[in-house]
Amino acid sequence: MSRVAFLGLGAIGAPMARHLARKYDLAVWNRTASRAVAFASTHHGTTHARTHHGTTHERTTADADAMRDVVITCLPTSREVESLLDGANGLIAGLQKGAILVDCTSGDPATSRRIAARLADAGVGFIDAPVSGGVSGAEKGELTVMCGGSAKHLETVRPVLESFGKKIVHCGDVGAGDAIKAVNNALLAVHIWATAEGLAALAKSGVDPKIALDVINASSGRSNTSMNLFPERVMSRAFPRTFRLALLDKDVGIAANVAREQKIASPLLQLTAELFRLAHGELGEEADHVEAVRLVEKWAGAEIR
Amino acid sequence: MSRVAFLGLGAIGAPMARHLARKYDLAVWNRTASRAVAFASTHHGTTHARTHHGTTHERTTADADAMRDVVITCLPTSREVESLLDGANGLIAGLQKGAILVDCTSGDPATSRRIAARLADAGVGFIDAPVSGGVSGAEKGELTVMCGGSAKHLETVRPVLESFGKKIVHCGDVGAGDAIKAVNNALLAVHIWATAEGLAALAKSGVDPKIALDVINASSGRSNTSMNLFPERVMSRAFPRTFRLALLDKDVGIAANVAREQKIASPLLQLTAELFRLAHGELGEEADHVEAVRLVEKWAGAEIR
Amino acid sequence: MSRVAFLGLGAIGAPMARHLARKYDLAVWNRTASRAVAFASTHHGTTHARTHHGTTHERTTADADAMRDVVITCLPTSREVESLLDGANGLIAGLQKGAILVDCTSGDPATSRRIAARLADAGVGFIDAPVSGGVSGAEKGELTVMCGGSAKHLETVRPVLESFGKKIVHCGDVGAGDAIKAVNNALLAVHIWATAEGLAALAKSGVDPKIALDVINASSGRSNTSMNLFPERVMSRAFPRTFRLALLDKDVGIAANVAREQKIASPLLQLTAELFRLAHGELGEEADHVEAVRLVEKWAGAEIR
Amino acid sequence: MSRVAFLGLGAIGAPMARHLARKYDLAVWNRTASRAVAFASTHHGTTHARTHHGTTHERTTADADAMRDVVITCLPTSREVESLLDGANGLIAGLQKGAILVDCTSGDPATSRRIAARLADAGVGFIDAPVSGGVSGAEKGELTVMCGGSAKHLETVRPVLESFGKKIVHCGDVGAGDAIKAVNNALLAVHIWATAEGLAALAKSGVDPKIALDVINASSGRSNTSMNLFPERVMSRAFPRTFRLALLDKDVGIAANVAREQKIASPLLQLTAELFRLAHGELGEEADHVEAVRLVEKWAGAEIR
């Protein structure tokens, strides 16, 4: 399997594609085409694809090997992936039997199952494969990849995934990768919000949040959020924009939905979904996920610094 | 300062007292006196006190030096501490001017402030000094001690605290230690409940919780709870009884109250307080704090294993 | 329009069908066929249909007029309605162009829109038309009917609906009737739970709930729930089984979903959905909706009587 | 008992005092004294008191009968009432044995019990007697009065209360009146918020809220709130300022606290307390209680009109 297409050259996608370009005959596609053109021009041996299944591209015309064996998507939501399936330029028309679509989008399990079923009818495999590790993990090629789908499909694409992933985990059937990723991100969201509420309450009652955070990080209430995000991003007031709040809102919503579909009473997840929907609405599309803390601070009338 | 009294020989208190007995002229007291008698008989140079300020004990009768310089309390709640203040055998009557009461109870800030004010009238100092690190931290003498009160009082008792504490933090005025401890434990509670909801939803939707936990612990949603408590206590179904749910319920309630007193909207803390009140009611007085997971599992109809 | 079919002879459906039988050539159908046979045998001029579009029935064989002009469904959820569409005996195959399906199920708007679209392809109209008024309203023919769909379709079926409805309201496009019904029932659910929490807290603090309810019902906190359901069903401990908790759970879930689809932060509706999901799980399929109060009482350790 | 003092000439208090002035030798007091002077000058036979127990006033100097038999307080919160007890001009110093303090403030039970205990030491009775019925009920003398305290005290003051109350209810011991009033107002708050969430979701999904409200008001989800407040104040966009959101926030907080003190899990009340604390913070001190709807609308991006 040596012909790979990569769709979605965003903050995470671009460094992933860079790793692939070193080992594979790679076609890249991006909704805003100029990014794909620029990418192809700076990565030797890479072509930019005019259609997202990579069948037509600059280098070869009417080239049989333009058909890609593995297509990787890395888009904002499952909806964008689903919208690429149909039509003359769609993935279903463009992919040959035996190809595999690996969706690295942080997707939702129900849509992934629907996509998988439609691709299966066309003889194309599907793996949901959301990643964690952020921009720096993508740049280092050390992402964790959470895979849902058949073990056979996963073995076929494993070498491709190892280009950018350090830990490739088979999570279960189609949708399992999405579900775990969504729950992980929902826990991240819970931790951000709860830590903010707690520190804001302490700050307003006259306790120095720096001291509080230092103690908590040596105690049982610590988390990745309290140990890394708060010192680096909140206490410093840096709030770098690395992962949009809008996307975390979407992920918490997916996790909350997984629980509801299973008829599980999950009041904490559901409330967190409400709070992030609210924060997304109040803070806008461009806010970073950690900026949800700003809404807690506004409500509290106290800053965590 | 060499004469110390220790009140409250519970699971955490007893090992703390053991460290003190090695360095100080120690009087111990316990509500159930037999424990204090047993402790004194096995720790050379220790006496058991008949009254909790340690003025009367077996070794000396009408001995002026029986007056203790430092009294340490380690009781279930601030209410028990407050109840020791009054009466002929009470701490206010029994303590001499210049003594300092160090309260290692996980207390509530408002009661601590009330106690401090009453002791101040009698010329006695007060420091709220809840600890974290659990039984093993107490045994190793490596507790974190969160101190609220005057810097001068803290410097006076610091050598005493160093007998059992590795990290002695001055958190602020009286009540600040209690407040930070309560928020730390509230975060612990949030993490337990949220992680349980997430894993139960995954389990019920057919994803193996072991795989999910493994992935989360390599990703952004990890916490001390997911990395330690879940593998050791939940997945193993061991649920050892080390820290009562009833006490964590109390602590979350204290944290929620700190937020309410500051008029801070803190929906996530407040809901967590409700859920732990509920779990405490449903699971009883003897349940361990991690057993709150059992209620989430019951609601979900799925086990996390 | 004189040939009507009625599908779903439940507690509400049966008295509705009885009113129709007095004015129309009526075919009835029920999943458990014996009920339809019994109904037809006791209502002169009514036939029981072997298939749910009423094309084949006892009275006439190969009878063209067996094709029904109006088919009314009254089933537990939209899922059951949707499952009747397909197949050789399905409504899509069995209904003629120009017929109208009136769905009196308390359905969900998204499914109703999907059903309407499929029927439209077959030239069949659709109106979602959930009812309120309960069994007694159905028996008196005084239901409120909340209609979603085109004004033209509604005018066509209005005389039919007036057989059992006193107030026929055009709520908007397809799904609007379902949405209003769901929100109404969600408010009912909120009122039941909140009134229970309030009265349980009073009861446990030593206030007589009868006095409290009497005062509230003369004050600003009163609702249909406090004025009717609590005196008749809770204080009396009668808890008659008139409307299943399982169905109210479903309705609150629909309302919560309407809010989520609109990206509206709606924490109170979402929490109520969680609580009723929980109550449904704890109290079982047969419990009445007002029995949700029993869970509040259990949690409180106090009865409202 | 003919000598009455009235303290607190606010929107509700002033018309109550007017009714009393017709039957009793009345002394009035107000924090802003000018209001009391104005009141006394326009109500024949009324004096304004320089101290709040009414012992010194314009008409008589050093007049023994200046001692009041019944003192009625009608203040924003219990804290203001408590602050009037002490000092040379305080109620405890100023009231004679056998007098009764009737507190018509919407108070909190714990503070009322504390006040009652202190007054009892001075031989003075106490009844908590919050009222409902609003400004118009006060003007018509048709308030509901919720009384907590001894039956004997209530019988003594009943004729006085009947000056402005139509329904005088003995709710239980001291604090019972406060508790019922708080729960009533908490239900009002729940109904306002839930109805707003439901109608905002419908509005945003394209359903006319007027139609929805009309249907709900003929169905099981109706409440005093949906039948009166929404048509008159929300749909009309009038939002008259009759009862401050700040005070309803306080009342919901009292009800939530009653539940917490009883260790009752009451997630819906607690969340409502959070939401009104938030609305109070966002909308300010002068907003009317129904304006909480504006925050729901802002979150939803939809108006209910």
Side-chain angles (χ1 to χ4, degrees):
Chain A
M1 286 262 194
S2 62
R3 295 158 307 172
V4 176
F6 196 97
L7 287 55
L9 298 168
I12 301 282
M16 290 167 73
R18 245 170 254 135
H19 288 288
L20 291 165
R22 291 192 197 110
K23 292 172 55 181
Y24 294 99
D25 170 1
L26 184 72
V28 295
W29 179 91
N30 197 66
R31 188 167 294 272
T32 307
S34 56
R35 265 204 216 175
V37 174
F39 186 99
S41 71
T42 56
H43 292 82
H44 180 70
T46 306
T47 57
H48 89 269
R50 290 218 186 94
T51 62
H52 41 258
H53 46 76
T55 47
T56 322
H57 50 74
E58 295 298 333
R59 193 182 41 159
T60 67
T61 48
D63 180 356
D65 90 341
M67 298 295 271
R68 297 291 148 175
D69 304 311
V70 178
V71 174
I72 301 176
T73 43
C74 194
L75 298 169
T77 77
S78 289
R79 193 171 307 178
E80 279 86 2
V81 181
E82 198 170 28
S83 73
L84 297 183
L85 296 184
D86 293 312
N89 283 332
L91 288 167
I92 288 176
L95 288 176
Q96 57 190 339
K97 279 200 183 192
I100 297 177
L101 176 62
V102 176
D103 183 18
C104 293
T105 302
S106 290
D108 74 272
T111 308
S112 285
R113 283 190 290 266
R114 211 159 54 218
I115 292 172
R118 296 200 56 210
L119 290 175
D121 290 344
V124 172
F126 178 84
I127 288 175
D128 50 301
V131 298
S132 82
V135 172
S136 79
E139 285 170 351
K140 291 183 209 153
E142 297 184 351
L143 293 168
T144 296
V145 191
M146 312 167 198
C147 302
S150 85
K152 195 171 131 280
H153 286 150
L154 177 55
E155 287 325 298
T156 307
V157 300
R158 186 181 284 274
V160 177
L161 301 185
E162 284 172 344
S163 305
F164 51 73
K166 186 180 178 183
K167 181 166 182 159
I168 318 290
V169 186
H170 189 200
C171 299
D173 294 337
V174 169
D178 286 338
I180 291 182
K181 169 79 190 197
V183 167
N184 176 75
N185 281 15
L187 292 178
L188 169 64
V190 168
H191 299 173
I192 290 173
W193 198 280
T195 306
E197 283 189 358
L199 291 179
L202 290 173
K204 203 168 179 191
S205 66
V207 176
D208 183 341
K210 276 209 189 65
I211 294 174
L213 194 57
D214 181 53
V215 171
I216 288 165
N217 283 338
S219 302
S220 55
R222 73 184 182 276
S223 63
N224 172 58
T225 293
S226 69
M227 298 188 79
N228 295 305
L229 297 183
F230 270 73
E232 294 165 13
R233 298 173 171 222
V234 178
M235 306 301 291
S236 68
R237 311 310 289 171
F239 291 110
R241 295 191 160 178
T242 60
F243 174 48
R244 290 196 298 125
L245 176 58
L247 294 174
L248 186 55
D249 171 25
K250 175 209 63 171
D251 292 339
V252 187
I254 292 171
N257 200 45
V258 168
R260 283 195 307 272
E261 277 176 357
Q262 299 301 328
K263 309 272 183 203
I264 287 182
S266 49
L268 217 49
L269 283 186
Q270 305 299 326
L271 178 60
T272 303
E274 292 303 296
L275 294 169
F276 275 80
R277 183 177 307 134
L278 197 47
H280 175 186
E282 299 273 303
L283 298 166
E285 293 305 314
E286 297 311 315
D288 183 70
H289 68 303
V290 180
E291 292 187 82
V293 171
R294 293 193 196 270
L295 187 57
V296 177
E297 293 180 321
K298 176 172 171 258
W299 288 356
E303 272 196 2
I304 299 166
R305 60 191 309 165
Chain B
M1 287 261 196
S2 63
R3 295 157 308 172
V4 176
F6 196 97
L7 287 58
L9 298 167
I12 301 283
M16 289 167 74
R18 245 170 253 134
H19 288 288
L20 290 166
R22 293 193 196 108
K23 292 172 55 182
Y24 293 98
D25 170 1
L26 185 71
V28 296
W29 179 90
N30 197 65
R31 187 167 295 272
T32 308
S34 56
R35 265 206 216 174
V37 174
F39 186 98
S41 73
T42 56
H43 292 83
H44 181 70
T46 305
T47 57
H48 88 269
R50 289 216 187 97
T51 62
H52 40 258
H53 47 77
T55 47
T56 322
H57 52 75
E58 296 297 332
R59 196 180 42 159
T60 67
T61 48
D63 180 356
D65 91 342
M67 298 295 269
R68 296 290 149 177
D69 303 311
V70 177
V71 175
I72 301 176
T73 43
C74 193
L75 298 169
T77 76
S78 289
R79 194 171 305 178
E80 280 86 1
V81 181
E82 198 169 29
S83 74
L84 297 183
L85 296 184
D86 293 312
N89 283 333
L91 287 168
I92 287 175
L95 287 176
Q96 57 190 338
K97 281 199 182 195
I100 297 176
L101 176 62
V102 177
D103 183 18
C104 292
T105 302
S106 290
D108 74 273
T111 309
S112 285
R113 284 191 291 265
R114 210 158 54 218
I115 292 172
R118 297 201 53 210
L119 290 174
D121 291 344
V124 172
F126 178 84
I127 288 175
D128 50 302
V131 299
S132 82
V135 172
S136 79
E139 284 170 350
K140 292 183 209 154
E142 298 183 350
L143 293 168
T144 295
V145 191
M146 312 167 198
C147 302
S150 83
K152 193 170 132 280
H153 286 150
L154 177 54
E155 287 324 299
T156 307
V157 300
R158 185 181 285 272
V160 177
L161 302 185
E162 283 172 345
S163 306
F164 51 73
K166 186 179 177 182
K167 182 166 180 157
I168 317 291
V169 186
H170 188 201
C171 299
D173 295 337
V174 169
D178 287 338
I180 291 181
K181 169 79 188 196
V183 167
N184 176 75
N185 281 15
L187 292 178
L188 169 64
V190 168
H191 299 172
I192 291 172
W193 199 280
T195 306
E197 283 189 357
L199 291 178
L202 290 173
K204 204 168 180 193
S205 64
V207 176
D208 183 341
K210 277 209 187 65
I211 293 174
L213 194 56
D214 181 54
V215 172
I216 288 166
N217 283 338
S219 302
S220 55
R222 71 185 184 274
S223 63
N224 172 57
T225 293
S226 69
M227 299 188 80
N228 295 307
L229 297 183
F230 270 72
E232 294 166 14
R233 298 172 171 224
V234 178
M235 306 301 291
S236 68
R237 312 310 288 172
F239 291 110
R241 295 190 160 178
T242 60
F243 173 49
R244 291 195 298 124
L245 175 57
L247 293 175
L248 185 54
D249 171 25
K250 175 210 62 173
D251 292 340
V252 187
I254 292 171
N257 199 45
V258 167
R260 281 196 308 273
E261 278 177 356
Q262 299 300 328
K263 309 273 182 203
I264 288 182
S266 49
L268 216 49
L269 283 186
Q270 305 299 326
L271 178 60
T272 304
E274 292 303 295
L275 294 169
F276 275 80
R277 183 178 308 133
L278 196 48
H280 176 186
E282 298 274 302
L283 298 165
E285 294 305 315
E286 296 311 315
D288 183 70
H289 67 302
V290 181
E291 292 186 83
V293 172
R294 292 192 196 272
L295 188 57
V296 177
E297 293 180 320
K298 176 171 171 259
W299 288 356
E303 271 197 1
I304 299 165
R305 62 190 309 164
Chain C
M1 287 261 194
S2 63
R3 295 157 310 171
V4 176
F6 196 97
L7 286 57
L9 298 168
I12 302 283
M16 289 166 73
R18 245 170 253 133
H19 288 288
L20 290 165
R22 291 194 196 109
K23 293 173 55 183
Y24 293 98
D25 170 0
L26 184 72
V28 296
W29 179 90
N30 197 65
R31 188 166 294 269
T32 309
S34 56
R35 264 205 216 174
V37 174
F39 186 99
S41 73
T42 57
H43 293 83
H44 181 68
T46 305
T47 58
H48 88 269
R50 289 217 187 95
T51 62
H52 40 256
H53 46 77
T55 47
T56 323
H57 52 74
E58 296 297 333
R59 193 179 43 158
T60 66
T61 50
D63 181 355
D65 90 340
M67 299 295 269
R68 296 290 148 176
D69 303 311
V70 178
V71 174
I72 301 176
T73 44
C74 194
L75 298 169
T77 76
S78 288
R79 194 170 305 177
E80 280 87 1
V81 180
E82 198 169 28
S83 74
L84 296 183
L85 297 184
D86 293 314
N89 284 332
L91 287 167
I92 287 175
L95 288 175
Q96 57 189 338
K97 281 199 181 191
I100 296 176
L101 175 63
V102 176
D103 182 17
C104 293
T105 302
S106 290
D108 73 274
T111 310
S112 285
R113 283 190 291 264
R114 210 158 55 219
I115 293 172
R118 297 200 55 210
L119 290 175
D121 290 343
V124 172
F126 178 83
I127 288 174
D128 50 302
V131 299
S132 83
V135 172
S136 79
E139 285 171 349
K140 291 183 208 151
E142 297 184 351
L143 293 169
T144 296
V145 191
M146 311 167 198
C147 302
S150 83
K152 193 170 133 280
H153 287 149
L154 178 55
E155 287 325 299
T156 307
V157 300
R158 186 180 285 273
V160 177
L161 302 185
E162 283 172 345
S163 304
F164 51 73
K166 186 179 177 184
K167 180 166 182 158
I168 317 290
V169 185
H170 188 201
C171 299
D173 295 337
V174 168
D178 286 338
I180 291 182
K181 170 79 189 197
V183 167
N184 177 73
N185 281 15
L187 292 178
L188 169 65
V190 169
H191 299 173
I192 289 172
W193 199 281
T195 305
E197 282 189 358
L199 292 178
L202 290 172
K204 203 167 179 193
S205 65
V207 176
D208 183 341
K210 277 211 187 66
I211 293 174
L213 194 56
D214 181 53
V215 171
I216 288 166
N217 283 338
S219 302
S220 55
R222 73 184 182 276
S223 63
N224 173 57
T225 293
S226 69
M227 298 187 80
N228 295 306
L229 297 183
F230 270 72
E232 293 165 15
R233 297 173 172 222
V234 179
M235 306 302 291
S236 68
R237 311 310 289 172
F239 291 110
R241 296 190 160 178
T242 60
F243 173 50
R244 290 195 299 126
L245 176 56
L247 293 174
L248 186 54
D249 172 24
K250 176 209 62 172
D251 292 340
V252 186
I254 293 171
N257 200 45
V258 167
R260 280 197 308 272
E261 278 176 357
Q262 299 301 327
K263 310 272 182 201
I264 288 182
S266 49
L268 216 49
L269 283 186
Q270 305 299 325
L271 179 60
T272 304
E274 292 304 294
L275 295 169
F276 275 80
R277 183 178 308 133
L278 197 48
H280 176 185
E282 298 274 301
L283 299 166
E285 294 305 314
E286 297 310 315
D288 184 70
H289 68 302
V290 180
E291 291 186 82
V293 171
R294 293 192 195 271
L295 188 57
V296 177
E297 293 180 321
K298 176 172 171 259
W299 287 355
E303 272 197 1
I304 298 166
R305 61 191 308 164
Chain D
M1 287 264 195
S2 61
R3 294 158 307 172
V4 176
F6 197 97
L7 287 58
L9 298 168
I12 302 283
M16 289 167 73
R18 245 170 255 135
H19 287 289
L20 290 165
R22 291 194 197 109
K23 291 172 56 181
Y24 293 98
D25 170 0
L26 184 72
V28 295
W29 179 91
N30 197 64
R31 188 167 294 271
T32 308
S34 56
R35 264 206 216 174
V37 174
F39 186 99
S41 72
T42 55
H43 293 82
H44 181 69
T46 305
T47 57
H48 88 270
R50 289 214 188 97
T51 62
H52 40 257
H53 46 77
T55 48
T56 323
H57 52 73
E58 296 297 334
R59 194 180 42 157
T60 66
T61 48
D63 180 355
D65 91 340
M67 299 294 270
R68 297 289 148 176
D69 303 311
V70 178
V71 175
I72 301 176
T73 43
C74 193
L75 298 169
T77 76
S78 289
R79 193 170 307 179
E80 280 86 0
V81 180
E82 199 169 27
S83 73
L84 297 183
L85 296 185
D86 293 313
N89 283 333
L91 288 167
I92 288 175
L95 288 176
Q96 58 190 337
K97 281 201 182 191
I100 297 176
L101 176 62
V102 176
D103 183 18
C104 292
T105 302
S106 289
D108 74 273
T111 309
S112 285
R113 283 190 291 265
R114 210 160 53 220
I115 293 172
R118 297 201 53 210
L119 290 175
D121 291 344
V124 173
F126 178 84
I127 288 175
D128 51 301
V131 298
S132 82
V135 172
S136 80
E139 284 171 350
K140 291 183 209 153
E142 297 184 352
L143 294 168
T144 296
V145 191
M146 312 167 197
C147 302
S150 85
K152 195 172 131 279
H153 286 150
L154 177 55
E155 287 324 299
T156 308
V157 300
R158 186 180 285 273
V160 177
L161 302 185
E162 284 172 344
S163 304
F164 51 74
K166 187 179 177 184
K167 182 166 181 159
I168 317 290
V169 185
H170 189 201
C171 298
D173 294 338
V174 169
D178 286 338
I180 291 181
K181 170 79 189 197
V183 167
N184 176 75
N185 281 15
L187 292 177
L188 169 64
V190 169
H191 298 173
I192 290 172
W193 198 281
T195 306
E197 282 189 357
L199 292 178
L202 290 173
K204 203 167 179 193
S205 65
V207 176
D208 183 342
K210 278 210 186 65
I211 293 174
L213 194 56
D214 181 53
V215 171
I216 289 166
N217 283 337
S219 301
S220 55
R222 72 185 182 275
S223 64
N224 172 57
T225 293
S226 69
M227 298 187 80
N228 296 306
L229 296 184
F230 269 72
E232 294 165 14
R233 297 172 173 224
V234 179
M235 307 301 290
S236 68
R237 312 309 289 173
F239 291 111
R241 295 191 159 178
T242 60
F243 173 49
R244 291 196 298 125
L245 176 56
L247 293 174
L248 185 55
D249 171 25
K250 176 209 62 174
D251 292 340
V252 186
I254 293 171
N257 200 45
V258 167
R260 281 196 308 272
E261 278 177 357
Q262 298 300 327
K263 309 271 181 205
I264 288 183
S266 49
L268 216 49
L269 283 186
Q270 306 298 327
L271 178 60
T272 303
E274 292 303 295
L275 294 169
F276 275 80
R277 183 178 308 134
L278 196 49
H280 176 186
E282 299 273 302
L283 298 166
E285 294 305 314
E286 297 310 315
D288 184 70
H289 67 303
V290 181
E291 292 186 81
V293 171
R294 293 191 196 271
L295 188 57
V296 177
E297 292 179 321
K298 175 171 171 261
W299 288 355
E303 272 197 0
I304 299 166
R305 59 192 310 166

